[in-house]
Structures are given as structure tokens and as C-alpha cells.
Amino acid sequence: MELKQLEYFVAAADELNFTRAARRLHVVQSAISSSVRQLETELGAALFERTTRRMRLTPAGGELLERARAILGLVDEARAAASPSRELRGAVSLGVIQGAWTGMGESIRAMRAAHPLVALRLRQAPVATILDDVDRGRLDLGVVPLPPDARPGRAHGLHREPMMLVTAEGDELEGPVRIAELDGRDFVDVAPEWALRRVVDDAFAAAGAQRTTTCEVNDLGVAAELVASGLGLMIVPERMVEGRPGLRRIALRDAPEWRIGVVTGPRVTPAARALLETITRGADSPGD
């Protein structure tokens, strides 16, 4: 078993597609498929179930994946420790939910400038997917709303702010208001799987109030446009609608808090640690 085989296998397991895995590693597709076949022959077990429509890991593949990630992480650490120049190498994967992190571009630029030999992979996904992938080692870091039960030492605060009510410019509602005063009003909401939606749902439940979701969308830009058109209200962190025209912001007396942070997995590689330090440097919320 060679390290290159494990690297190709992990890429194939992440992508569940040999062509995408090859593109990610800048090799030909046949190199990935041939390496995986050789690994399956050596282990005497199928690692993937492959059909004409999809590919997925077998139980044996799932067992190998966890160990392969650990082995490759240890190799990265050994290379970093033994490098005469101490120049960081390896790869790091980052998951981000939509609208969570406004400094993303600046942090990634700084990481690439400081560590040009580190390959960085960014993926946007729902919060539940990111948290699960971080726990399972499929992602090194995740930028997500911090859950109340975030594990000590594995959650690092980036930003926190009270959420606010957003209305169309012509709405006659005056603030500040309590959520109970919004009972029965029409709202523009994001989809139920969004963390933002769950925070708002919990706030209404705590206030004993109900709202009517007239529009449900998966894009904050579309949501802001619908609110500006007078089709409903919205509760969001101010930075999510900053600079958008046709909106009026109203303070909430019992505003829910929006807390964003970085979560890490059980093992933090040198490359992941460097990215974590880059992201949290200059954060406006202390680490949790």
C-alpha cells in the first residue's frame, strides 16, 4: 500500500466521482481508477459500489477512509517537521454556510500568500452537512453558526451580533419592537434546513408568536428583493442585507443572537491550524 494510493482513494471518496477526483489532483482519470482497483485487489475488498448512475463507499471503504485521512495527516505533520525550510505543505478543506462569513476572500488570500504550497479546498453546504463532515474528517474546518453545545476547544468565535427586523421602506411599523408584536405578520424566510431559519423559528417559539411564511427561498439576495417589494418581513443579521436597496432596519427588543465561529475536527493538521489562525486573526468576537 502506497501513500499515493491512499491520496487517490481519499480524493475519490470525497468526490464520489473518479473524473472530479482526477481534476482535483491534476492527474488523468485512469490514474485514479487504476490506483483504486490496485488497492481493492491488495485489500481483498471492494471500496466503492459503482453503477452507471452513482458511486458510493462500501462499509470497507468507509473504514479505510477514516484511517487513510489519519495516515495522510500524520505524513503532512512529519513533512512539516522535517522540512529544512519549515515551509508548510499539504492540503486543507473548509466548509462554509451561505452568508456566514463576510471576510472569506480576504482570509483565503492571506492563507495562500503565507503558505503557497498548501492546497486549499472550499465548499459551501448546509450547516448540518458541514458539522457532520468535520466530525467525520471529510472537512478540516467549518465556518458555521455556533451551536449552544459546541465542544470546548473545538469552537472558535468569529463574530456575534443581535439580529434585526428588516421591512420594506414604506412599511409603517415603528421600532424597536418585540417579536410577540409580529404575531400573524407575513414573512420572507429562507429554507428550513438553513441555520438562520432555525434561529428565527426558535425566537418565535420562545415569544409564543406565529408568522406566515409567504415566500421561502434559498438565496439571501432574492429574499431581500422580496422584502423590499413589500411581500413580507425578515429577521436577519444586519451584515447579510448591508447595502441592499429598498429596505428599512428595525431593532428588536428581544433579538436573537447570531454567533458565527470556526469548528474543528478531532485532529487538526498543521495546514488546518494555519488556516484556523488566519481566519480567527482579527475576528471581532473572542474565541469560545
Side-chain angles (χ1 to χ4, degrees):
M1 185 181 300
E2 299 178 358
L3 289 176
K4 186 64 71 176
Q5 288 178 305
L6 294 181
E7 182 183 1
Y8 286 2
F9 164 69
V10 169
D14 284 343
E15 302 292 347
L16 292 179
N17 182 285
F18 287 162
T19 301
R20 289 197 298 270
R23 191 179 302 123
R24 168 175 157 183
L25 296 177
H26 306 289
V27 299
V28 295
Q29 186 267 345
S30 59
I32 302 291
S33 55
S34 174
S35 178
V36 169
R37 281 197 301 271
Q38 291 172 8
L39 193 56
E40 288 177 323
T41 300
E42 185 175 341
L43 296 174
L47 301 175
F48 295 97
E49 292 178 7
R50 297 183 283 273
T51 69
T52 56
R53 300 187 64 181
R54 68 173 184 171
M55 184 170 85
R56 65 181 180 183
L57 282 168
T58 64
E63 290 289 333
L64 178 61
L65 180 60
E66 182 178 348
R67 289 161 177 77
R69 291 190 196 280
I71 290 169
L72 294 175
L74 290 172
V75 169
D76 283 343
E77 291 180 12
R79 285 172 176 163
S83 173
S85 65
R86 298 290 180 178
E87 192 161 11
L88 195 61
R89 299 171 182 267
V92 60
S93 55
L94 172 68
V96 183
I97 71 163
Q98 186 178 163
W101 180 24
T102 57
M104 178 172 58
E106 182 180 344
S107 294
I108 291 176
R109 224 174 11 250
M111 177 69 182
R112 285 181 170 171
H115 306 289
L117 299 182
V118 173
L120 194 153
R121 183 170 177 241
L122 177 68
R123 181 159 64 90
Q124 192 175 69
V127 61
T129 300
I130 291 175
L131 290 173
D132 184 59
D133 284 352
V134 168
D135 279 342
R136 293 175 180 271
R138 291 191 288 257
L139 288 171
D140 293 300
L141 305 172
V143 177
V144 295
L146 292 180
D149 57 349
R151 294 181 178 89
R154 289 178 55 184
H156 310 265
L158 288 179
H159 171 77
R160 62 173 62 190
E161 66 174 299
M163 295 170 68
M164 61 172 41
L165 181 68
V166 179
T167 75
E169 284 184 338
D171 193 288
E172 296 180 355
L173 189 65
E174 295 295 333
V177 299
R178 294 190 178 277
I179 290 177
E181 297 174 52
L182 305 175
D183 188 61
R185 291 290 301 258
D186 290 344
F187 267 75
V188 175
D189 281 314
V190 293
E193 61 268 20
W194 281 44
L196 180 64
R197 172 69 175 268
R198 290 199 293 274
V199 172
V200 177
D201 286 347
D202 289 347
F204 267 80
Q210 294 185 342
R211 68 193 190 280
T212 301
T213 298
T214 57
C215 304
E216 188 174 275
V217 298
N218 266 314
D219 184 281
L220 287 169
V222 172
E225 183 178 344
L226 293 171
V227 172
S229 298
L231 295 176
L233 312 177
M234 181 167 61
I235 294 178
V236 291
E238 184 176 11
R239 63 172 57 189
M240 288 190 181
V241 293
E242 195 171 14
R244 298 189 183 276
L247 301 177
R248 189 160 64 94
R249 295 151 182 79
I250 298 175
L252 291 167
R253 294 187 186 277
D254 51 350
E257 189 176 57
W258 184 243
R259 299 172 61 234
I260 294 296
V262 188
V263 293
T264 62
R267 286 188 67 257
V268 183
T269 66
R273 189 173 299 111
L275 180 58
L276 175 63
E277 291 171 356
T278 302
I279 293 171
T280 54
R281 191 181 301 126
D284 56 11
S285 178
D288 292 337

